[in-house]
Amino acid sequence: MKLSIRNRIALYSVLGIASISIVVFIAIYFTVKNIVFSEIDGALKFEAKKHINEVMFRKDSVYFAYKDEWLEREHIEIEVYPLFVELYNAKGQGLDKSPNLRESSLELDLQQENTFISNQNLDGENIRQIQFPLIENNTIQGFIAIAIPLGDAELVIKTLLDTLLFIYPILLVITFFMSRFISQITIKPVTFIAKTVNEISSNNLNKRVPETSNGDELETLSKAINNFLNRIDAAVKREKQFTADASHQLRTPLAILKGNLEVLIRKRREPEQYVEEIKNNINKIDGMSDAVEKLLILARLNSHTLKNLETEELCLYDEIEAILINYKKDILKKGISITLDKSEDCQIQTHKTYLRLVLDNLISNAVKYGEDQTRISISLEPTTHHLKLSICNKGQKIPADEINDIFNPFFRNRYHENTEKGYGLGLAIVAKAIDLLKIKIHVSSDEYTCFSLKIPRTP
C-alpha cells in the first residue's frame, strides 16, 4: 500500500509516540504500584515494631502484655486503618488475635525464620501480610503476623491502569491527526517546489524555484534544484549553440563545394582548371573531415570519466619530443627555434591518447600562431605530486576579455579569425581532455602567450 508523505509522517509519529507512551505508561503504573505497596509495607513494619514491644515471654510461651489496652486501641484503629493481628507459638499454633479476625486466621509459614512480607488471601479478600519471629535467648519463641487489606490499594492501581488504557488510544488518534495537520503545513513548500519543477520544460528553462531564507533543509533543497536547473539551462544553451555552430561550419564549406561544382559544369574548361578546382575542393573536404573528427572527439570526451579510462606510465618529455617531430616541417618553414628544457623526473601515470590530444593541440597552436623567426619555449618543472608544463610562443596576443572564451567550441580569436584557417575546436578538445585528466590550466598572453599545465603524476 502506497502512502503519501503526509500519511507516512503521521504514521511514523504515531509509532514513535506509541512506543514512548507505552514505556512511560508502564513506568508510571509500576512506579505508583511500588509507591502504594511501599506505603503499606512501611505501615506494616511500624505496626510490627509497636507490637513486638507489647509481647511478653514466660517459659515456653508468649502473650500480649496489657491486653485490655491493646484491644481497646485495636478497636479504635480498626475504624480508620483496619489491621489484622495474630500471635502464634513456636509450633505455629494460634495464641491470640485481633477481634476483627473473628473465626478466621492468618496463614503462617513456619519455613520462614526471618521477617518477610507477602500477599495473602483472607476470606476471599487480598491482604498484605508481614510475619516476624519472636526471639528470646537466641531461640524462636513464637511469631506475630500483621496484615492490612489491599482493597483500597488495588482500587487505586486498577483505576490508574484503566485510566492509562483509556488515554493510550485517544493519545494515538490525536497524535495521528495532529501529525497529518502539521505535516501538511510542513510539506506545503515541497509541494509548491514540485509543482514549479513540473511546470519547467525546455521552453522555459529560465524559470526557477522560489528560495527561502530560513536556513533549513527546504532552503538547501530549493538552492540545489535551482543550481541543477542552472546547469541544465547552461548545458542546453551550449548544446543549441554547439549544434548551430556545427551546422554553420559544415554548411558553409558544403555550399562552397556545391557552388564550385555547379560552376564547373556550366561550360567546358581546360583540364588544368578542372584539376585546380578539384584540388581546392579536396582541401575543403579534408577540412570538413578534420572538423567532423574533432566533433567526434568532443562527443567521445563528454561520454567518458577518468574512472573508466586505462592509464599507463609515460615520460612527458618523450611525448613532447614525438609531437614536435610531427610539426618539424612547419617549424623549419617558419624558421622557429624550439627550446625544450629536459628534466630527468618526467614520469606520470595518465591516459596516453587524451594527454597527446592536449599536447598536440597546444603545440600545433604554438607553431601555427607563432611569428616567423621566433622561439617556442617549452619547460618542465617537476614537484612531488605534479609536473608543471609551460608552452610559450611569441605572436598575436589573445585579448584579455577573450581568454575565458577560447575554450568554447567554434570560438575564434578576433585577431586570428581572418588570418588563420580553423574551426575553433582544438582548445575545446583541450578543455574537455584536461577536465577528464584532472589537469589544471592557466593562460596568460602579453609579449608571449603561455599555456601552463599542472599535470598530476597519478590520476
Side-chain angles (χ1 to χ4, degrees), residues 6 31 47 125 136 155 171 189 205 287 314 318 346 348 375:
R6 185 174 62 177
T31 299
E47 292 295 334
E125 182 182 7
E136 178 74 10
L155 179 60
L171 177 64
L205 278 175
L314 304 171
D318 293 341
C346 62
I348 56 174
R375 176 184 290 112

Side-chain angles (χ1 to χ4, degrees), residues 431-443:
K432 293 292 183 181
I434 63 174
D435 182 62
L436 191 63
L437 300 177
K438 308 300 181 185
I439 297 174
K440 295 181 180 180
I441 190 168
H442 175 73
V443 182

